[in-house]
Amino acid sequence: MHFTISRETFLKPLQLVSGVVERRQTLPVLSNVLLVLEGDQLSLTGTDLEVELIGRVTVADSKQSGAITVPARKLLDICKSLAEDSMIELSMSDSNKLTIKAGRSRFTLTTLPATEYPSVEEEPDTFSVTLSQSRLKELLDSTSFAMAQQDVRYYLNGMLFEVSVDYLRVVATDGHRLAMETMTIDEGTSEIQQLIVPRKGIIELGRLLVDDDEITLTFGQNHIRAKVTATTFTSKLVDGKFPDYNRVLPKGGNKVLVGNAQEFKQAFTRASILSNEKYRGVRVILSNGELKILANNPEQEEAEEVIGVDYQGETLEIGFNVSYLIDVLSTLSCPNAKITLSDPNSSALIEAESGSDAVYVVMPMRL
């Protein structure tokens, strides 16, 4: 393998695929990125056996095709440190080392054979969905914060994609809060399909969505695949059953208040400063025309916030984890938030007053 490429052309796909590569690996080859040169087409592949990213670029000067794997982090750090307008020459030596030259700089990296590099098995696709990248990014951004991180209920460490004949719905929950958004699509599937995409897959897919072009998500029995410009994204699906989110959505809430989402967020953020650092609980008291937020901690410190809201009805006192409320209010893009409550033991339903189909559920806390 021997080719020359500009730093800018090489760095962009290298950064993308290196994001998938884990720093600590049981298999040494998984710390590497796979470089494959065929003619003037160079492909770069990174994987952690769950998510795979392949980026493709055209090289400036191709002298000899070939395939090899090199340490991803070191290669990325070298390219980042070179001058912006430099041309990089990469070549294999007889001792199976990769030599990188740029101007008067020269680096030699150890390699592992391309044959050792794992690839995601090809399997037949079952159905696909086409939508705009910006709309998909909106869906992921407004719901992904509610995914569990390292829950023993492994099916919560990801996001549910539910596809029907005319809609795509995404749902994320960690057992304490739930985020859901639905969009209409033209061609879905005749039967409702539910698939769970792992947390890392959602994060990497979100990084790829940068413009308004269309993207096609292709689902197989065990994988989801997407092509964005010159990058191919593949992720395994989580093998498990997602909880029935319809049972979590609170029904029959009779206390509906509307207020400025930014004011809510700022008041809850200020009150959180003096909440218990471990439990993050705040007491919320709803009465005619106002919402009072109370917080205290083991040091006997207290915070009180009062906000004017559009509400007439019975008084209600309820506790919440303040971090969960702030997360939801941070994602709302419209001026006003609508909150529906029923009693101190029932979850709160939070949504934008208008302009968004996103729905959020936050469980109450005993204080």
Side-chain angles (χ1 to χ4, degrees):
M1 178 189 276
H2 189 177
F3 65 93
T4 306
I5 190 169
S6 74
R7 173 186 177 272
E8 288 307 298
T9 308
F10 193 44
L11 193 54
K12 197 173 175 187
L14 183 58
Q15 280 178 312
L16 269 178
V17 302
S18 296
V20 181
V21 178
E22 297 283 356
R23 283 177 184 269
R24 293 187 192 87
Q25 287 292 358
T26 46
L27 284 173
V29 75
L30 288 177
S31 302
N32 286 10
V33 61
L34 171 66
L35 305 179
V36 180
L37 181 67
E38 293 175 346
D40 63 351
Q41 291 299 305
L42 175 71
S43 70
L44 301 89
T45 305
T47 185
D48 66 351
L49 297 181
E50 187 178 83
V51 178
E52 179 187 78
L53 274 183
I54 305 173
R56 295 175 185 82
V57 286
T58 304
V59 302
D61 180 19
S62 172
K63 292 187 174 69
Q64 186 184 352
S65 296
I68 199 68
T69 79
V70 288
R73 192 64 48 189
K74 291 173 185 171
L75 182 60
L76 180 61
D77 288 346
I78 288 168
C79 292
K80 276 184 178 175
S81 64
L82 294 171
E84 282 186 18
D85 56 351
S86 56
M87 295 297 290
I88 306 172
E89 183 185 345
L90 293 94
S91 60
M92 285 297 297
S93 68
D94 295 336
S95 57
N96 284 335
K97 294 254 173 77
L98 181 75
T99 302
I100 304 161
K101 293 179 186 171
R104 299 173 80 172
S105 305
R106 186 173 180 278
F107 308 88
T108 308
L109 288 178
T110 57
T111 65
L112 286 169
T115 49
E116 287 185 23
Y117 206 75
S119 64
V120 178
E121 322 93 68
E122 287 291 325
E123 60 168 8
D125 302 325
T126 52
F127 67 95
S128 56
V129 177
T130 302
L131 63 162
S132 79
Q133 286 187 38
S134 55
R135 188 72 184 94
L136 179 58
K137 185 163 177 59
E138 208 175 285
L139 251 64
L140 300 186
D141 287 350
S142 62
T143 53
S144 58
F145 69 87
M147 289 187 290
Q149 298 224 21
Q150 288 176 322
D151 203 295
V152 290
R153 297 164 293 179
Y154 59 92
Y155 46 82
L156 297 184
N157 301 322
M159 185 180 288
L160 174 72
F161 277 61
E162 181 175 289
V163 186
S164 114
V165 67
D166 58 357
Y167 72 79
L168 166 66
R169 177 173 293 150
V170 295
V171 187
T173 180
D174 61 4
H176 303 287
R177 59 268 186 79
L178 176 142
M180 177 175 91
E181 188 164 359
T182 309
M183 68 171 283
T184 53
I185 53 175
D186 295 333
E187 295 174 17
T189 59
S190 51
E191 291 181 15
I192 292 179
Q193 301 275 356
Q194 289 196 335
L195 309 120
I196 307 170
V197 181
R199 179 186 179 82
K200 186 166 181 179
I202 293 295
I203 292 166
E204 292 302 330
L205 181 58
R207 288 173 62 206
L208 295 179
L209 306 171
V210 289
D211 53 38
D212 278 332
D213 292 348
E214 287 200 325
I215 180 172
T216 300
L217 300 177
T218 305
F219 295 91
Q221 288 292 323
N222 303 305
H223 77 264
I224 174 177
R225 182 171 284 123
K227 289 191 177 174
V228 183
T229 52
T231 308
T232 303
F233 159 88
T234 309
S235 170
K236 285 187 176 175
L237 297 174
V238 176
D239 182 15
K241 183 156 176 51
F242 205 77
D244 181 2
Y245 59 84
N246 284 307
R247 290 174 57 192
V248 179
L249 298 173
K251 310 278 193 301
N254 57 355
K255 298 174 179 60
V256 181
L257 64 135
V258 176
N260 183 287
Q262 198 60 27
E263 269 186 41
F264 278 150
K265 181 186 164 188
Q266 288 168 352
F268 280 117
T269 303
R270 289 192 295 268
S272 72
I273 298 167
L274 297 185
S275 68
N276 184 314
E277 286 182 18
K278 187 176 179 185
Y279 300 109
R280 307 289 288 159
V282 294
R283 197 180 303 280
V284 174
I285 302 168
L286 176 64
S287 55
N288 284 340
E290 74 171 35
L291 185 77
K292 186 182 283 185
I293 304 163
L294 302 171
N296 56 43
N297 60 28
E299 288 82 52
Q300 310 291 302
E301 297 166 331
E302 297 178 357
E304 179 180 312
E305 292 278 343
V306 180
I307 318 168
V309 294
D310 182 2
Y311 171 75
Q312 298 298 318
E314 296 174 25
T315 300
L316 173 71
E317 188 171 327
I318 187 169
F320 288 109
N321 180 316
V322 70
S323 301
Y324 296 162
L325 295 174
I326 293 168
D327 283 346
V328 170
L329 294 165
S330 299
T331 62
L332 290 181
S333 52
C334 81
N336 288 340
K338 176 177 154 191
I339 304 175
T340 306
L341 301 161
S342 55
D343 60 66
N345 301 315
S346 299
S347 299
L349 185 71
I350 307 173
E351 53 202 318
E353 189 188 22
S354 61
S356 171
D357 295 321
V359 174
Y360 303 97
V361 178
V362 179
M363 283 178 68
M365 240 182 123
R366 290 184 192 276
L367 291 176

